[in-house]
Amino acid sequence: MHSNIWSGSKVRLRPVLSSDWKEFHENDHDSEGARLCDFIHFPRSEEGTKSWAEYTSSKTFDGDNVFLAVEALDGTLVGSITANSCDTRNGTFKYGVAIFRKHWRKGYASEATRILLRYYFEELRYRKVNAYVYAFNVGSRALQEHLGFVQEGILREMIFTKGKHYDEYVYGQTKDEFQNLSK
């Protein structure tokens, strides 16, 4: 049987397709979900989302920085995952994962993250990954800890939403820690 490094038992990672616009547009209406991983943006038209999806699907890679769709094995688009701030000299990068609300608590974020980390650690020779999580995002904090990330610091009052400032937690995991958990 042929094995694909970008697939697991629940999800596969793939490029964003221009036809994905509708699911991303629907997700744009989840303001509370947006607040958990980024910030609440101004409303975007369907045409704006279509343009974004078209641009994203045709975009070439920016070094090792990537924005990928997370797709369930039945072909349902369930979210996205990114690797960014890739520093090949020091072997570090950041990642973020966002699963659409109706697909939460199905193990998609965990598996998508493991697939991404395996590729960056085993194929691209990175040594460390960091995740930045808003203090009020209890689900993401639990995900990082479930995946074996270590909370390395707190950036005080970094995020402003709902009329007040919140802390941002910095989580990290080394290649050795990842490999030890994968055994």
Side-chain angles (χ1 to χ4, degrees):
M1 184 171 130
H2 178 61
S3 179
N4 183 335
I5 193 168
W6 298 107
S7 291
S9 63
K10 296 179 183 189
V11 299
R12 72 179 58 89
L13 306 186
R14 63 162 174 78
V16 171
L17 306 174
S18 58
S19 59
D20 291 334
W21 77 267
K22 192 168 186 170
E23 289 88 351
F24 280 107
H25 189 72
E26 182 181 312
N27 187 64
D28 284 350
H29 295 179
D30 182 0
S31 296
E32 290 307 309
R35 178 178 282 129
L36 291 173
C37 60
D38 191 13
F39 58 89
I40 299 171
H41 297 270
F42 288 115
R44 182 167 52 181
S45 67
E46 287 185 356
E47 287 305 314
T49 307
K50 287 177 185 177
S51 293
W52 170 85
E54 184 67 36
Y55 170 77
T56 303
S57 70
S58 66
K59 191 172 156 183
T60 58
F61 295 103
D62 175 20
D64 293 336
N65 297 302
V66 68
F67 182 97
L68 296 169
V70 179
E71 180 180 79
L73 294 184
D74 69 2
T76 303
L77 178 65
V78 299
S80 61
I81 192 165
T82 66
N84 57 74
S85 300
C86 296
D87 180 342
T88 55
R89 182 177 187 271
N90 292 304
T92 61
F93 69 102
K94 297 176 188 172
Y95 99 98
V97 62
I99 301 299
F100 303 153
R101 184 180 299 272
K102 64 185 174 184
H103 301 292
W104 285 5
R105 310 277 184 264
K106 296 179 181 175
Y108 295 154
S110 295
E111 186 169 82
T113 301
R114 286 185 186 108
I115 291 168
L116 184 82
L117 296 184
R118 181 179 64 227
Y119 183 76
Y120 276 73
F121 289 146
E122 295 179 5
E123 301 301 322
L124 299 180
R125 295 183 292 188
Y126 282 88
R127 295 288 309 153
K128 178 147 188 264
V129 60
N130 288 311
Y132 288 72
V133 179
Y134 303 158
F136 56 82
N137 190 341
V138 176
S140 187
R141 289 171 46 201
L143 172 67
Q144 304 316 315
E145 292 165 10
H146 169 73
L147 291 169
F149 280 70
V150 175
Q151 185 182 335
E152 297 181 341
I154 298 174
L155 302 174
R156 298 176 302 138
E157 297 188 13
M158 289 294 289
I159 305 305
F160 183 81
T161 191
K162 285 191 171 182
K164 68 184 256 190
H165 285 90
Y166 293 88
D167 296 342
E168 187 172 31
Y169 294 175
V170 180
Y171 285 89
Q173 185 173 81
T174 65
K175 178 181 178 178
D176 292 340
E177 291 166 341
F178 175 78
Q179 289 177 328
N180 287 336
L181 291 170
S182 299
K183 290 180 182 177

Short mmCIF file of all heavy atoms in Angstrom, two decimals, residues 18 21-22 24-25 28 42-56:
data_model
loop_
_atom_site.label_atom_id
_atom_site.label_comp_id
_atom_site.label_asym_id
_atom_site.label_seq_id
_atom_site.Cartn_x
_atom_site.Cartn_y
_atom_site.Cartn_z
N SER A 18 -9.48 26.91 -5.18
CA SER A 18 -10.38 28.04 -5.38
C SER A 18 -11.82 27.66 -5.04
O SER A 18 -12.59 28.50 -4.57
CB SER A 18 -10.26 28.59 -6.80
OG SER A 18 -10.55 27.59 -7.74
N TRP A 21 -13.79 28.30 -1.40
CA TRP A 21 -14.21 29.62 -0.93
C TRP A 21 -15.46 29.57 -0.07
O TRP A 21 -15.56 30.29 0.93
CB TRP A 21 -14.41 30.57 -2.11
CG TRP A 21 -15.69 30.34 -2.87
CD1 TRP A 21 -15.87 29.55 -3.97
CD2 TRP A 21 -16.97 30.90 -2.57
NE1 TRP A 21 -17.17 29.56 -4.36
CE2 TRP A 21 -17.88 30.39 -3.52
CE3 TRP A 21 -17.44 31.76 -1.58
CZ2 TRP A 21 -19.22 30.72 -3.52
CZ3 TRP A 21 -18.78 32.10 -1.58
CH2 TRP A 21 -19.67 31.58 -2.54
N LYS A 22 -16.43 28.74 -0.42
CA LYS A 22 -17.72 28.74 0.29
C LYS A 22 -17.56 28.32 1.75
O LYS A 22 -18.13 28.95 2.65
CB LYS A 22 -18.72 27.84 -0.43
CG LYS A 22 -20.13 28.00 0.08
CD LYS A 22 -21.12 27.33 -0.83
CE LYS A 22 -22.52 27.66 -0.33
NZ LYS A 22 -23.54 27.26 -1.27
N PHE A 24 -14.78 28.52 3.57
CA PHE A 24 -14.04 29.57 4.26
C PHE A 24 -14.95 30.78 4.51
O PHE A 24 -14.88 31.40 5.56
CB PHE A 24 -12.78 29.98 3.49
CG PHE A 24 -11.64 29.03 3.69
CD1 PHE A 24 -11.24 28.16 2.69
CD2 PHE A 24 -10.95 28.99 4.90
CE1 PHE A 24 -10.19 27.28 2.88
CE2 PHE A 24 -9.90 28.12 5.11
CZ PHE A 24 -9.51 27.26 4.09
N HIS A 25 -15.82 31.09 3.55
CA HIS A 25 -16.74 32.22 3.72
C HIS A 25 -17.72 31.95 4.87
O HIS A 25 -17.98 32.83 5.69
CB HIS A 25 -17.48 32.51 2.42
CG HIS A 25 -18.27 33.77 2.45
ND1 HIS A 25 -17.66 35.01 2.41
CD2 HIS A 25 -19.59 34.00 2.53
CE1 HIS A 25 -18.58 35.95 2.47
NE2 HIS A 25 -19.76 35.36 2.55
N ASP A 28 -16.02 32.46 8.06
CA ASP A 28 -15.80 33.88 8.35
C ASP A 28 -16.90 34.47 9.23
O ASP A 28 -16.69 35.46 9.91
CB ASP A 28 -15.72 34.71 7.06
CG ASP A 28 -14.41 34.55 6.31
OD1 ASP A 28 -13.47 33.96 6.87
OD2 ASP A 28 -14.35 35.02 5.16
N PHE A 42 -13.22 42.76 9.45
CA PHE A 42 -14.39 43.37 8.84
C PHE A 42 -15.07 42.32 7.98
O PHE A 42 -14.42 41.39 7.47
CB PHE A 42 -13.97 44.56 7.96
CG PHE A 42 -13.52 45.76 8.74
CD1 PHE A 42 -12.21 46.20 8.66
CD2 PHE A 42 -14.40 46.45 9.57
CE1 PHE A 42 -11.78 47.30 9.37
CE2 PHE A 42 -13.99 47.56 10.28
CZ PHE A 42 -12.68 47.98 10.19
N PRO A 43 -16.38 42.43 7.77
CA PRO A 43 -17.08 41.47 6.91
C PRO A 43 -16.49 41.47 5.51
O PRO A 43 -16.06 42.50 5.00
CB PRO A 43 -18.53 41.98 6.88
CG PRO A 43 -18.66 42.85 8.08
CD PRO A 43 -17.29 43.44 8.33
N ARG A 44 -16.49 40.30 4.90
CA ARG A 44 -15.96 40.15 3.55
C ARG A 44 -17.08 39.62 2.65
O ARG A 44 -17.83 38.73 3.05
CB ARG A 44 -14.78 39.17 3.56
CG ARG A 44 -14.12 38.96 2.24
CD ARG A 44 -12.79 38.26 2.31
NE ARG A 44 -12.80 37.02 3.07
CZ ARG A 44 -11.72 36.26 3.26
NH1 ARG A 44 -10.55 36.63 2.76
NH2 ARG A 44 -11.80 35.17 3.97
N SER A 45 -17.18 40.13 1.46
CA SER A 45 -18.20 39.69 0.51
C SER A 45 -17.85 38.31 -0.02
O SER A 45 -16.71 37.84 0.10
CB SER A 45 -18.28 40.68 -0.66
OG SER A 45 -17.09 40.61 -1.43
N GLU A 46 -18.84 37.68 -0.63
CA GLU A 46 -18.58 36.40 -1.28
C GLU A 46 -17.52 36.57 -2.36
O GLU A 46 -16.64 35.73 -2.49
CB GLU A 46 -19.87 35.82 -1.89
CG GLU A 46 -20.82 35.28 -0.86
CD GLU A 46 -22.03 34.59 -1.48
OE1 GLU A 46 -22.18 34.58 -2.73
OE2 GLU A 46 -22.83 34.04 -0.70
N GLU A 47 -17.61 37.65 -3.12
CA GLU A 47 -16.61 37.91 -4.16
C GLU A 47 -15.21 38.07 -3.55
O GLU A 47 -14.22 37.62 -4.12
CB GLU A 47 -16.99 39.13 -4.99
CG GLU A 47 -18.15 38.88 -5.93
CD GLU A 47 -17.92 37.70 -6.87
OE1 GLU A 47 -16.83 37.59 -7.47
OE2 GLU A 47 -18.85 36.89 -7.02
N GLY A 48 -15.14 38.73 -2.40
CA GLY A 48 -13.86 38.90 -1.71
C GLY A 48 -13.28 37.56 -1.28
O GLY A 48 -12.08 37.32 -1.41
N THR A 49 -14.14 36.68 -0.76
CA THR A 49 -13.67 35.35 -0.35
C THR A 49 -13.26 34.53 -1.56
O THR A 49 -12.26 33.81 -1.52
CB THR A 49 -14.74 34.62 0.47
OG1 THR A 49 -15.16 35.46 1.55
CG2 THR A 49 -14.19 33.32 1.04
N LYS A 50 -14.03 34.64 -2.63
CA LYS A 50 -13.66 33.93 -3.87
C LYS A 50 -12.29 34.40 -4.36
O LYS A 50 -11.46 33.59 -4.76
CB LYS A 50 -14.71 34.14 -4.96
CG LYS A 50 -15.99 33.40 -4.73
CD LYS A 50 -16.99 33.73 -5.84
CE LYS A 50 -18.33 33.09 -5.58
NZ LYS A 50 -19.33 33.46 -6.60
N SER A 51 -12.07 35.71 -4.34
CA SER A 51 -10.78 36.26 -4.76
C SER A 51 -9.65 35.77 -3.87
O SER A 51 -8.57 35.41 -4.36
CB SER A 51 -10.80 37.79 -4.74
OG SER A 51 -11.68 38.27 -5.71
N TRP A 52 -9.89 35.74 -2.55
CA TRP A 52 -8.88 35.24 -1.62
C TRP A 52 -8.56 33.78 -1.92
O TRP A 52 -7.39 33.39 -1.97
CB TRP A 52 -9.36 35.38 -0.16
CG TRP A 52 -8.48 34.67 0.79
CD1 TRP A 52 -7.33 35.14 1.36
CD2 TRP A 52 -8.63 33.33 1.27
NE1 TRP A 52 -6.77 34.18 2.16
CE2 TRP A 52 -7.55 33.05 2.11
CE3 TRP A 52 -9.58 32.33 1.05
CZ2 TRP A 52 -7.39 31.83 2.75
CZ3 TRP A 52 -9.42 31.10 1.69
CH2 TRP A 52 -8.33 30.87 2.53
N ALA A 53 -9.59 32.96 -2.10
CA ALA A 53 -9.37 31.53 -2.37
C ALA A 53 -8.63 31.33 -3.70
O ALA A 53 -7.74 30.49 -3.79
CB ALA A 53 -10.70 30.77 -2.37
N GLU A 54 -8.99 32.10 -4.70
CA GLU A 54 -8.32 32.02 -6.00
C GLU A 54 -6.85 32.39 -5.86
O GLU A 54 -5.96 31.70 -6.36
CB GLU A 54 -9.02 32.92 -7.03
CG GLU A 54 -8.43 32.81 -8.41
CD GLU A 54 -8.66 31.45 -9.06
OE1 GLU A 54 -9.73 30.85 -8.85
OE2 GLU A 54 -7.75 31.00 -9.77
N TYR A 55 -6.59 33.50 -5.17
CA TYR A 55 -5.21 33.94 -4.94
C TYR A 55 -4.43 32.90 -4.14
O TYR A 55 -3.31 32.54 -4.52
CB TYR A 55 -5.20 35.28 -4.21
CG TYR A 55 -3.82 35.68 -3.72
CD1 TYR A 55 -2.88 36.19 -4.61
CD2 TYR A 55 -3.46 35.50 -2.39
CE1 TYR A 55 -1.60 36.52 -4.18
CE2 TYR A 55 -2.19 35.84 -1.95
CZ TYR A 55 -1.27 36.34 -2.85
OH TYR A 55 0.00 36.66 -2.42
N THR A 56 -5.01 32.42 -3.07
CA THR A 56 -4.33 31.45 -2.20
C THR A 56 -4.05 30.15 -2.95
O THR A 56 -2.99 29.55 -2.79
CB THR A 56 -5.16 31.19 -0.93
OG1 THR A 56 -5.38 32.45 -0.27
CG2 THR A 56 -4.45 30.25 0.03
#
